[in-house]
Amino acid sequence: MSRPSAVGLTTGNAPLPDFPQLRTCPYQPPPGYRDLRLTEGPVVRARLYDGRPTWVVLGHAVARELLIDPRLSSDWGRPDFPSPSPRRKAIQKSTMLIGMDPPEHSAYRRRVIPSFSVRRTRELGESIHRRAGELVDALLEQGPPAEILRGLALPLSSHTICAILGVPYEDHAYFEEQSAMLVSSQVSEEDATGALMNLRDYLTSLVDRKEKESEPGEGLLDTLVHKDLADGSLSRDEVIGLGIILLMAGHETTASMITLSTFTLLQNPSQLEAFRNDPDGAGPAVEELLRYLSIGDVAMRIAAEDMTIGDAHIKAGDSVMLSAAEINRDPEAFEDPDVLDLGRGARHHLAFGYGVHQCVGQNLARAQMQSALTLLFSRIPGLRLAVPAEEVEIKPAQSGVQGIYELPVAW
Amino acid sequence: MRIVADSGRCIGAGQCVLTAPDLFDQDEDGLVVLLTGSVATEADAELARSAEHLCPAAALRVTSGTDDAEGQPGA
């Protein structure tokens, strides 16, 4: 384990600050990160839950530089790969895509990207929009009060990832529950491991079923089974592993963004009014919400070699964590970064990451957010919070995905 | 002004297509395809530079020169 470095003199002999830290407002980065960036600069020292020191990257330019540097590894298979929480360690046993370096990573990613291209997203756009419309209609029919995460955001993102992968939508309740166990910081490492095994079992039987079909369906899993598994270029474990990571990454993140975006817009009435009055503004609005909310807050890396970035002398084996939330509020990269400005038009945020691991589903996420938010606020013009804003509970700092547990609304 | 795209580095994020759909497309494998190799107007050059900046895999290069060697990303 590496020793704390001398960088960040103000920490001197004082205990290192914790990483990650809790948000005190659902849509603002933890205030402690701002203090650190202002007093110590864009790369600081902190301590993980297990006492291990880590570098934390808080500046935009240095984050871009580091995320494309091949000396920083994403290989979760390294025995000393750092984790922000015990539960994340359990997920890190499933290492497909996210937990790999090139060239291994590139070979797997190539097999899945045709399903996530801009063209494929546009093809699916109509079905996403229609499903979002049905869900909003169902909310209206049921009448207030309603809850946005379970009533709109989660079923929409599940519907979408099911369509992409070729997973029967009637199974969505089961894998939503298991995925929630995996990404909730309130479950133990043991329960998270159990949920991962359950998902593996589910996908194993799905792959078995697909193998027996004479006519492959249109989903990515169908292609992987009937092409890559059939010709021996992927093993069953690899197909199942890809399915797990995409299923997991594909619905919790987008659902969280839709729910938190709804809350944030309700808290910013002038921006909400501008959003409602500009039918062509959904694209830039979603981009700004992605920057402002940055729910995939923690990226983890390990230094494979010694490297110097600015004043930071990172040694091989050092943990390096990046806070997308604080990086996306860097005034060097965004003017008045703490202002939510839906017309900003800035797309160089790192909400989807940067480098070879940048989110493969980013265009699907954009399409879902645009449809959900546009339809929700146009069809329910009187939408409002059903509880005081202070009572909206924030997910803990060590959640894989930041956000809120539920958003009760009325109209 | 020339654009060079390295499909070997491309990771299919689609940022270039979203930025400049008249200059970039994705093929059936989801990888970058150049719709034109050279940019005539300043507006297109601006879009091309923006796509170069947004590309997460450093797979694009916009050059002012005509020297082929200069245009090879990652060379």
Side-chain angles (χ1 to χ4, degrees):
Chain A
M1 192 177 284
S2 57
R3 285 185 339 206
S5 112
V7 173
L9 293 177
T10 52
T11 50
N13 295 323
L16 290 172
D18 290 335
F19 185 85
Q21 295 178 16
L22 182 68
R23 291 187 182 199
T24 54
C25 164
Y27 48 83
Q28 305 290 6
Y33 297 174
R34 177 67 45 91
D35 296 343
L36 282 170
R37 179 162 58 73
L38 293 176
T39 55
E40 298 189 33
V43 184
V44 304
R45 293 294 276 171
R47 193 172 295 279
L48 299 173
Y49 74 97
D50 56 3
R52 178 178 174 173
T54 186
W55 299 96
V56 178
V57 179
L58 303 168
H60 188 270
V62 69
R64 269 180 61 106
E65 201 178 322
L66 283 169
L67 284 168
I68 57 167
D69 193 319
R71 291 173 298 178
L72 267 197
S73 168
S74 286
D75 182 0
W76 292 356
R78 288 173 186 264
D80 47 358
F81 197 88
S83 176
S85 71
R87 183 193 44 82
R88 286 289 278 272
K89 273 203 152 154
I91 303 183
Q92 284 171 212
K93 288 172 189 154
S94 171
T95 59
M96 294 302 288
L97 284 179
I98 301 173
M100 291 176 162
D101 287 331
E104 199 185 10
H105 167 265
S106 326
Y108 285 116
R109 179 156 176 145
R110 291 249 157 152
R111 294 179 199 274
V112 307
I113 54 179
S115 298
F116 296 93
S117 68
V118 173
R119 197 177 303 165
R120 179 82 181 109
T121 303
R122 287 204 181 113
E123 282 166 12
L124 271 177
E126 200 177 313
S127 141
I128 291 170
H129 200 72
R130 191 169 53 241
R131 184 72 190 131
E134 288 165 4
L135 290 162
V136 172
D137 285 344
L139 291 180
L140 278 165
E141 208 167 293
Q142 168 214 310
E147 200 277 299
I148 294 297
L149 180 67
R150 279 160 202 85
L152 171 64
L154 208 45
L156 180 63
S157 57
S158 288
H159 166 87
T160 309
I161 196 65
C162 282
I164 286 280
L165 291 180
V167 170
Y169 183 67
E170 54 268 28
D171 297 341
H172 73 109
Y174 180 74
F175 63 74
E176 268 169 33
E177 186 193 342
Q178 304 305 321
S179 299
M181 295 271 276
L182 269 176
V183 297
S184 163
S185 59
Q186 290 179 324
V187 303
S188 65
E189 186 175 351
E190 198 182 9
D191 287 347
T193 307
L196 188 61
M197 284 169 64
N198 289 342
L199 272 182
R200 195 173 290 279
D201 288 347
Y202 170 75
L203 279 160
T204 303
S205 65
L206 184 64
V207 164
D208 287 348
R209 268 188 281 158
K210 287 192 185 292
E211 247 184 325
K212 290 179 190 125
E213 289 165 357
S214 50
E215 284 296 308
E218 287 183 358
L220 173 58
L221 280 174
D222 298 272
T223 309
L224 293 176
V225 166
H226 286 274
K227 187 168 160 276
D228 305 79
L229 182 59
D231 69 15
S233 57
L234 282 184
S235 70
R236 298 176 69 76
D237 273 359
E238 288 171 316
V239 172
I240 291 161
L242 282 169
I244 289 177
I245 200 77
L246 294 172
L247 195 57
M248 217 165 66
H251 77 276
E252 183 82 14
T253 44
T254 316
S256 239
M257 267 311 295
I258 291 169
T259 311
L260 192 53
S261 296
T262 305
F263 176 73
T264 305
L265 286 171
L266 289 172
Q267 293 294 95
N268 287 270
S270 63
Q271 287 296 302
L272 175 56
E273 198 186 333
F275 176 71
R276 277 203 180 103
N277 293 334
D278 181 6
D280 298 325
V286 158
E287 223 56 56
E288 173 68 347
L289 287 162
L290 286 162
R291 177 194 75 87
Y292 196 71
L293 301 174
S294 300
I295 58 164
D297 202 353
V298 178
M300 306 163 287
R301 297 289 187 272
I302 189 168
E305 296 172 32
D306 290 356
M307 53 198 296
T308 296
I309 298 286
D311 295 334
H313 301 293
I314 300 172
K315 292 206 169 3
D318 279 3
S319 160
V320 180
M321 300 268 170
L322 299 98
S323 165
E326 188 58 33
I327 287 164
N328 284 335
R329 299 292 183 94
D330 184 343
E332 304 268 332
F334 304 96
E335 202 180 329
D336 292 331
D338 295 326
V339 173
L340 177 74
D341 173 4
L342 299 188
R344 182 187 293 272
R347 291 177 48 221
H348 59 294
H349 60 75
L350 304 189
F352 290 119
Y354 190 68
V356 297
H357 289 283
Q358 192 179 58
C359 177
V360 74
Q362 57 181 287
N363 296 314
L364 271 186
R366 290 184 170 103
Q368 292 175 72
M369 286 179 65
Q370 287 182 24
S371 287
L373 296 172
T374 307
L375 291 168
L376 183 65
F377 287 110
S378 63
R379 291 199 189 166
I380 316 183
L383 196 78
R384 58 182 167 80
L385 291 182
V387 294
E390 313 80 73
E391 286 179 19
V392 172
E393 197 186 347
I394 305 171
K395 286 187 183 175
Q398 293 176 346
S399 290
V401 180
Q402 284 289 301
I404 51 185
Y405 287 108
E406 56 176 15
L407 185 65
V409 292
W411 53 90
Chain B
M1 185 155 296
R2 299 178 61 234
I3 313 174
V4 181
D6 182 348
S7 60
R9 301 189 95 159
C10 178
I11 59 157
Q15 298 272 24
C16 55
V17 188
L18 289 185
T19 308
D22 293 338
L23 304 179
F24 304 98
D25 198 359
Q26 286 170 302
D27 65 15
E28 282 189 1
D29 294 328
L31 301 179
V32 61
V33 174
L34 276 184
L35 298 177
T36 172
S38 62
V39 214
T41 67
E42 185 46 39
D44 276 354
E46 181 81 9
L47 287 173
R49 280 191 292 265
S50 177
E52 178 189 30
H53 182 69
L54 289 173
C55 175
L60 301 178
R61 178 152 313 169
V62 182
T63 67
S64 52
T66 50
D67 179 3
D68 280 350
E70 189 192 344
Q72 290 300 318

